């Protein structure tokens, strides 16, 4: 076992101080130490995106980040997306358009989609497919995921226009 | 009647019953990351177990030294076969009547095989300890080719079977032979083939692949020594069977074992089997007195747990000059790997492969399947298909194409003239099945019209002309498939798993205020059972689906069932659910009669109530009846309103479909683009069209992956070449085609609600559609058969071999 | 997949980073985005005693486009590179190519410096930088030196960089003319089956200058001087392209892997180079 270090993470707005070996993978810190089990482990080689979290404003695969590297980072997970008044529009649209089945990829998928729409609020279907290509789904064939994200974008834009 | 009284239509809509695209109840949790999967389970004092695995495909294990590993702080135990042998747990029975090493007993037989189980306080220490276990191997000659395995001088793989020339499925004719399974009329088939005007012969290979659900396999075993109760949470597609197996293996009485399948992150067949990880976790928990978690990583998953397919299918099909098929013969060399751990009903070592006459009226046929041992991982599960049905569908749909070439006929027309006709159902196939219902011609015509088949063929002809004239380097392939599935295993008289009949079950309890809980013997892995089974109940008993909780997967609470695979949930558990609802309704009718002071026979059921015939204003809703069941003393009727049903299906169900893939192929690079994919499914009565469509999208995407690149490949010394998701092809949103779905609806006559099951049809149907598109693109240039997966270099090689690179 | 234990360092400036490399010798490895290194560590194919994280080293950041020269800090991520409008105008080839690297998540984290420095023949940036005539700045205990990308790669994971040096920035000229990066891969997230970078300038209907490099077709990126020479002075017609392809094929040495056998890779290399030349020519 290696020497442990003190790491500070802000996760979904809450500051956590954890003692961890530097080699600990961020996904394990979140899941095992902080009880944030929304992000999942799928492939462990940064291909599937089930572990996607938002770190300092970027979508990252938490299976390929050492917790030491994340020291000082601001992290948002699926648990941080919904507001006190319920589901985030992306969460609602994934349900509305049947964009999930087993649910295992869904937290990473929605977390990634959230960042995608921050950067590109009016994506084309092709841009959604390209922008979501770091997240694998084994159940849905993606068609309804794409539909859900397009619908979420439309609703978010309509709301913005109304405000 | 005031304005607030709902109309009949509103009452129907309020049920959200069968036929509605009800939004899924599961999704509120899942979209918020509130699923509860195995690796989310965390118990006080829980340990983590992980395997030392063999780097070799075939080697003698001369010694294992775990001293250094045991000395590492945090390591609690290291188990080897020597530790398990006194418990007689170093080997375990497989679902196929063979046995499998839990931990290497003297030798290893495939790369990634479990050699020792390290138990530590966390997964990091376990991983460090694995590095410290010293295993002395002596390499042995490796056999990865099933044909080479059957050579007289091939190395003996299973020394434990030395001299035992009879297995669970009859005689073994070679030391690496497992069984020969035969069905059909061999002599008559040979005679018909011999007398035929046209004969086509081909070897069709369906390569080895893997279900690869996004969540790998794992479990948490917890032995409570105080009350003697063992609880195992795991990625089990069949939790009740796991409990029975665990009891038989451990000697712990079944009532003291609780098996729970929590949320499962996709199964697709990968989670049907019983794996060494489960056994070792249970043993480790018993030994240490602490909960033990085991979760395999992706490489473990791809290397060691349950592959699928690997069938070499040698076919011979004959027809008249006009194209009427006269006979079909198939011999399969089935590569089962090191242990026969196929997940098939006991009496069917080749599953339902003999559905391979497909959608066609073939008068005589014969199938022989030779199972063979090799130095590859065990498994042979039904990867999103009923047992070996996708192999069968691929085989016949390729043979039809080859026959069309032989005849010089259009493959769509050849299918049409050979389809089983609507009036022939129930249809007795030459290989012994009774197809329940179908209307293939209607589906076929609808599909061909939807894609403008004639127009596509014209475009293709023009494309070929352009290609020959040097105006394009892209070819157009039109991939046709008409598949017939056989699902819903199955009748207890001939279908069992380890002796357990393949019935399934449902228990419904109506609560006093008119809501309900239903428990089933199945387990969802993403199919949305909590949503769709509630819809069946809603339609049967007239309570809104929103008021019905569906629970599965806990053997302490759910009735015994055989689980979810082979598209059996809707055909079997769905039937149990409908019949259970009808039992509730029958009792409700008696209660309503008493409440309304009429004779039972004077009542009729209407949507959500019993009403007096001819006086519909006199009625009692199911909600009212439920309350009465608990608060009224009704003479001659027990209080309460609940029922349980176990359903033994009288027959399988036979969903079918017509799929068409249109593909552009780049002759120079081997790249492809799926321009169009049309999927018409007939799964009988449709419970939730939204869920059905989602199943089709997902299954077709798996089929796309399998056909176009996904494989478990080995090098000549048995190293797995495709052990990560870099090389094991799972398409992203970018590569995945867009799908158009369609349907016809031919209910099953023997199923209580006429439903046939759909989850696996799209995998079964899409693989031949994609593959046939590739073949079809090159048909004009002389291609007959080229093995999957059709990745870039293999397509390129087709073009090269046909001389298309100039 | 759990890596071995290591000690972690996060130096705040370049000098400290180099000091750490000097102190710990071959036990130390620098980490940038880590998306090549971390998987290797998780598979226990790379053992690292001291991991030196460069994320806090300010000197390694930023993109400047000035006076016909472009400077890219080693810690610039692929996503930052893609998002930089000035860079996209100055060297559009880079954005076109970077969009074909890995997937969105990996591009957020993966750095240009890491991509060029680790010597993995599957990486796309090395061939690109050779095509663009870039040079790399290496800083070590002995000082600073500039090495041309075209002379940087010696073999599989073997480069001109010494263990105690850090690749700090990449400098390249603004690239005028037509450009293309053509990459064949099995799926998003895959390395190239074959990829080719092409830069061309046109004068009077003829190719005035050309630069051609390939990715993953040898154990190092291959800048094919002969292929470029075959185009210069030509009308970029079929004969010239054929000659360029033939010249390139003389310089590459692809290996068999899951993407296919050698014969296939050589054929595809020729096809995609032809396509890259055609696209670059159309843009020239």
């Amino acid at each position: 076992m290696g020497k442990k270090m003190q790491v500070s993470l802000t996760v979904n707005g809450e500051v956590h101080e954890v003692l961890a070996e530097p080699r600990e993978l961020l996904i394990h810190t979140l899941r095992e130490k902080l009880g944030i089990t929304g992000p999942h482990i799928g492939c462990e080689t940064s291909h599937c995106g089930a572990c996607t979290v938002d770190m300092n404003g970027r979508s990252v695969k938490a299976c390929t980040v050492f917790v030491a590297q994340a020291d000082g980072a601001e992290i948002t997970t699926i648990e941080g997306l919904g507001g006190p008044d319920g589901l985030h529009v992306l969460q609602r649209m994934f349900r509305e358009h049947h964009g999930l089945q087993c649910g295992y990829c869904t937290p990473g998928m929605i977390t990634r989609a959230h960042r995608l729409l921050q950067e590109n609020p009016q994506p084309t279907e092709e841009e959604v497919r390209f922008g979501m290509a770091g997240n694998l789904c084994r159940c849905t064939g993606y068609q309804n995921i794409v539909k859900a994200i397009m619908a979420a974008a439309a609703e978010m834009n309509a709301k913005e226009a109304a405000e | 009647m005031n304005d607030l009284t709902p109309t009949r239509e509103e009452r129907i809509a309020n049920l959200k019953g069968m036929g509605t695209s009800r939004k899924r109840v599961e999704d509120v949790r899942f979209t918020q990351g509130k699923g509860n999967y195995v690796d989310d389970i965390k118990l006080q004092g829980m340990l983590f177990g992980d395997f030392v695995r063999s780097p070799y495909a075939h080697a003698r294990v001369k010694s294992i030294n775990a001293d250094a590993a045991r000395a590492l702080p945090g390591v609690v135990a290291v188990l080897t076969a020597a530790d398990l042998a006194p418990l007689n747990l170093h080997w375990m029975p497989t679902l196929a009547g063979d046995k499998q090493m839990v931990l290497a007993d003297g030798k290893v037989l495939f790369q990634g095989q479990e050699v020792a189980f390290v138990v530590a306080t966390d997964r990091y220490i376990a991983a460090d300890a694995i590095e410290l276990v010293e295993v002395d191997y002596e390499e042995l000659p490796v056999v990865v080719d099933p044909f080479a395995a059957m050579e007289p001088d091939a190395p003996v793989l299973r020394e434990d079977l030395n001299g035992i020339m009879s297995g669970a499925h009859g005689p073994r004719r070679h030391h690496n032979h497992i069984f020969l399974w035969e069905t059909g009329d061999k002599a008559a088939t040979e005679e018909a083939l011999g007398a035929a005007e046209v004969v086509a012969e081909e070897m069709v290979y369906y390569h080895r692949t893997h279900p690869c659900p996004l969540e790998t396999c794992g479990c948490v075993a917890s032995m409570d020594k105080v009350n003697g109760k063992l609880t195992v949470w795991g990625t089990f597609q069949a939790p009740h069977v796991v409990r029975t197996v665990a009891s038989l293996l451990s000697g712990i009485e079944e009532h003291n074992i609780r098996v729970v399948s929590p949320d499962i992150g996709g199964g697709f067949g990968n989670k049907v089997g019983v794996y060494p990880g489960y056994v070792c976790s249970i043993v480790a928990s018993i030994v240490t007195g602490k909960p033990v978690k085991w979760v395999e990583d992706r490489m473990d998953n791809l290397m060691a747990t349950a592959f699928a397919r690997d069938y070499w299918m040698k076919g011979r099909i004959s027809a008249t000059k006009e194209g009427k098929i006269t006979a079909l013969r198939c011999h399969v060399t089935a590569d089962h790997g090191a242990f026969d751990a196929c997940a098939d009903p006991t009496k069917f070592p080749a599953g339902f492969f003999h559905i391979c006459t497909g959608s066609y009226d073939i008068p005589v046929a014969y199938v022989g399947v030779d199972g063979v041992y090799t130095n590859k991982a065990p498994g042979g599960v039904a990867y999103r298909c009923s047992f070996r049905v996708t192999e069968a569908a691929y085989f016949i749909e390729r043979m039809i194409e080859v026959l069309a070439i032989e005849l010089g006929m259009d493959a769509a027309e050849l299918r049409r003239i050979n389809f089983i006709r609507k009036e022939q159902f129930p249809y007795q196939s030459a290989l012994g099945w009774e197809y329940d219902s179908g209307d293939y011609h209607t589906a076929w015509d609808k599909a061909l019209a939807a894609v403008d088949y004639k127009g596509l063929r014209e475009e293709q002809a023009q494309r070929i002309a352009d290609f020959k004239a040097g105006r394009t380097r892209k070819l157009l392939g039109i991939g046709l498939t008409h598949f017939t599935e056989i699902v819903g295993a199955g009748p207890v008289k001939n279908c069992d798993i380890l002796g357990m009949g393949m019935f399934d079950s449902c228990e419904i309890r109506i609560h006093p205020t008119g809501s309900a809980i239903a428990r089933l013997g199945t387990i969802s892995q993403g199919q949305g059972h909590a949503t769709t089974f509630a819809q069946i109940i809603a339609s049967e008993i007239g309570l809104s689906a929103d008021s019905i909780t569906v629970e599965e997967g806990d053997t302490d609470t759910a009735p015994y069932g055989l689980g979810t695979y082979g598209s059996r949930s809707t055909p079997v558990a769905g039937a149990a659910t409908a019949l259970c609802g009808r039992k509730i309704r029958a009792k409700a009718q008696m209660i309503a009669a008493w409440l309304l002071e009429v004779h039972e026979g004077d009542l009729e059921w209407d949507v959500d109530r019993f009403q007096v015939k001819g006086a519909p204003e006199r009625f009692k809703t199911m909600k009212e009846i439920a309350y009465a069941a608990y608060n009224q003393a009704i003479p001659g009727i027990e209080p309460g309103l609940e029922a349980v049903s176990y359903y033994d299906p009288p027959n399988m169900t036979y969903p079918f479909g017509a799929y068409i893939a249109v593909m552009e192929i780049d002759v120079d690079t081997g790249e492809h683009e799926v321009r169009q994919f049309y999927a018409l499914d007939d799964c009988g009565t449709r419970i939730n069209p939204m869920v059905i469509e989602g199943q089709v999208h997902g299954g077709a995407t798996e089929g796309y992956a399998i056909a176009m690149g996904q494989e478990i490949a080995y090098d000549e010394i048995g190293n797995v070449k495709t052990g990560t998701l870099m090389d094991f092809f799972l398409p992203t949103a970018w590569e995945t085609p867009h799908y158009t779905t369609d349907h016809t609806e031919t209910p099953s006559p023997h199923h209580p609600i006429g439903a046939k099951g759909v989850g696996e049809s799209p995998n079964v149907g899409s693989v031949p559609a994609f593959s046939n598109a590739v073949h079809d693109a090159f048909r004009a240039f002389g291609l007959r058969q080229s093995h999957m997966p059709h990745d870039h270099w293999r397509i390129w090689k087709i073009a090269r071999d046909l001389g298309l690179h100039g | 997949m759990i890596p071995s234990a290591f000690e972690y360092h996060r130096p705040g400036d370049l000098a400290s980073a180099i000091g750490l490399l000097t102190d710990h010798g071959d036990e130390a490895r620098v980490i940038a985005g880590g998306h090549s290194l971390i998987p290797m560590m998780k598979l226990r194919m790379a053992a690292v005693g001291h991991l030196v994280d460069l994320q806090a080293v300010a000197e390694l950041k930023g993109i400047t486009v000035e006076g016909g020269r472009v400077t890219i800090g080693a810690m610039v991520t692929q996503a930052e590179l893609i998002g930089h409008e000035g860079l996209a105008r100055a060297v559009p080839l880079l954005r076109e190519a970077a969009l074909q690297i890995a997937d969105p998540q990996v591009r957020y984290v993966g750095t240009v410096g890491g991509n060029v420095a680790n010597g993995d023949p599957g990486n796309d940036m090395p061939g690109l930088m050779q095509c663009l005539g870039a040079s790399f700045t290496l800083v070590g205990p002995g000082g600073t030196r500039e090495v041309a990308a075209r002379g940087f790669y010696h073999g599989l994971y073997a480069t001109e960089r010494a263990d105690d040096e850090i690749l700090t920035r990449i400098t390249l000229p603004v690239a005028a003319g037509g450009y293309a990066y053509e990459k064949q891969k099995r799926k998003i997230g895959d390395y190239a089956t074959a990829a080719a970078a092409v830069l061309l300038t046109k004068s009077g209907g003829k190719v005035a200058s050309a630069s051609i490099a390939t990715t993953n077709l040898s154990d190092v990126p291959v800048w094919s001087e002969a292929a470029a020479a075959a185009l210069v002075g030509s009308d970029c017609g079929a004969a010239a392209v054929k000659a360029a392809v033939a010249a390139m094929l003389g310089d590459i040495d692809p290996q068999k892997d899951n993407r296919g056998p050698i014969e296939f890779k050589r054929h595809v290399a020729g096809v995609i180079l032809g396509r890259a030349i055609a696209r670059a020519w159309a843009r020239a």
Side-chain angles (χ1 to χ4, degrees), chain B residues 130-384:
Chain B
I130 284 170
E131 300 270 291
L132 298 174
V133 176
E134 294 165 21
V135 184
D136 187 10
Y137 297 99
E138 177 193 328
E139 287 185 68
L140 296 169
V142 172
V143 187
V144 290
D145 173 0
F147 298 99
M150 289 295 284
E151 293 291 328
D153 57 349
V156 177
L157 303 185
R158 291 288 299 277
E159 287 163 0
D160 59 297
L161 298 177
N162 239 345
I164 302 172
M165 294 318 284
S166 177
H169 307 290
R172 303 168 63 223
R173 66 170 185 274
H174 180 280
H175 52 264
N176 294 328
H177 186 234
I178 309 172
F179 61 80
L180 168 64
W181 188 82
E182 297 176 280
T183 192
D185 188 334
K186 193 174 186 179
T189 304
E190 293 304 335
E191 194 185 325
L193 289 170
E197 292 172 345
V198 180
V199 176
E201 187 170 83
E202 201 54 69
M203 172 67 93
V204 178
Y205 179 47
Y206 198 142
H207 58 293
R208 180 175 278 235
T209 182
H210 193 284
C212 194
L214 203 52
E215 177 203 35
T216 59
C217 299
C219 73
V220 177
S222 179
M223 183 74 204
D224 183 334
K225 289 195 169 169
V226 176
N227 63 16
K229 190 143 182 155
L230 171 69
T231 307
V232 189
W233 294 263
T235 47
F236 307 132
Q237 289 181 232
H240 299 272
V241 179
V242 169
R243 186 186 69 191
T244 303
V245 173
S247 175
L248 293 172
L249 284 180
S250 67
I252 301 171
E253 281 196 84
E254 210 164 348
H255 74 103
N256 276 330
I257 302 176
R258 177 182 170 215
V259 173
V260 184
S261 297
D263 290 325
I264 295 183
F268 317 122
N270 185 223
K271 293 165 181 172
V272 173
V274 173
Y275 297 121
Y278 305 154
V279 177
C280 288
S281 301
I282 292 170
V283 172
S285 181
I286 293 170
V287 169
T288 63
K290 292 190 170 166
V292 175
K293 179 187 277 187
W294 164 74
V295 176
E296 60 180 4
D297 69 25
R298 180 56 59 193
M299 288 181 79
D300 300 341
N301 177 252
L302 291 172
M303 282 199 303
T305 47
F307 78 94
R309 327 296 192 227
D310 216 346
Y311 258 34
W312 292 90
M313 303 172 285
K314 185 80 183 281
R316 204 168 158 83
I317 190 166
S318 61
T320 65
K321 277 181 288 193
E322 293 73 35
K324 190 79 188 80
I325 299 170
T326 56
L328 175 71
R329 184 182 78 192
C330 182
H331 177 265
V332 181
T333 300
D335 185 340
H336 285 220
F339 307 98
D340 185 13
C342 288
D344 292 315
T346 306
K347 295 188 187 70
F348 298 96
F352 302 158
F353 181 77
H354 49 307
I355 191 72
C356 66
T357 52
S359 307
Y360 312 103
D361 184 14
I362 301 179
V364 62
Y366 163 78
V367 164
V369 181
D370 272 310
V372 176
Y373 291 124
T374 61
N375 288 121
K376 298 183 192 167
V381 292
Y383 170 7
R384 202 178 186 139

Side-chain angles (χ1 to χ4, degrees), chain A residues 23 25 28 31-32 42 44 78 87 91 95-96 98 101-104 129 133 138-143, chain B residues 23-24 31-32 37 39-40 42 123-124 128 211-212 297-298 383 525-526 690 694 697-698 701 731 733 739:
Chain A
R23 65 165 165 167
L25 296 160
H28 288 141
R31 292 177 47 80
E32 310 277 334
E44 300 168 83
I78 188 71
L87 300 182
Q91 293 168 322
R95 178 166 193 253
E96 185 66 27
H98 193 29
Q101 291 180 27
C102 80
Y104 200 77
R129 283 184 180 265
R138 293 288 290 138
C139 297
T140 66
Y142 306 102
Q143 196 156 316
Chain B
K23 304 302 172 202
R24 300 200 328 162
T31 56
Q32 297 182 89
Y37 303 88
D39 203 14
D40 298 339
K42 201 174 173 182
R123 65 182 91 206
Y124 285 75
D128 290 345
C212 194
D297 69 25
R298 180 56 59 193
Y383 170 7
Q525 307 125 41
M690 175 191 83
H697 291 169
T701 302
Y739 305 104

Side-chain angles (χ1 to χ4, degrees), chain B residues 668 670 792-800 805, chain C residues 263-264 267:
Chain B
D668 294 317
H792 297 169
W793 86 262
R794 287 180 175 98
I795 289 182
W796 173 86
K797 189 167 182 306
I798 294 172
R800 156 104 344 168
H805 292 146
Chain C
E263 190 195 8
F264 163 69
H267 187 258

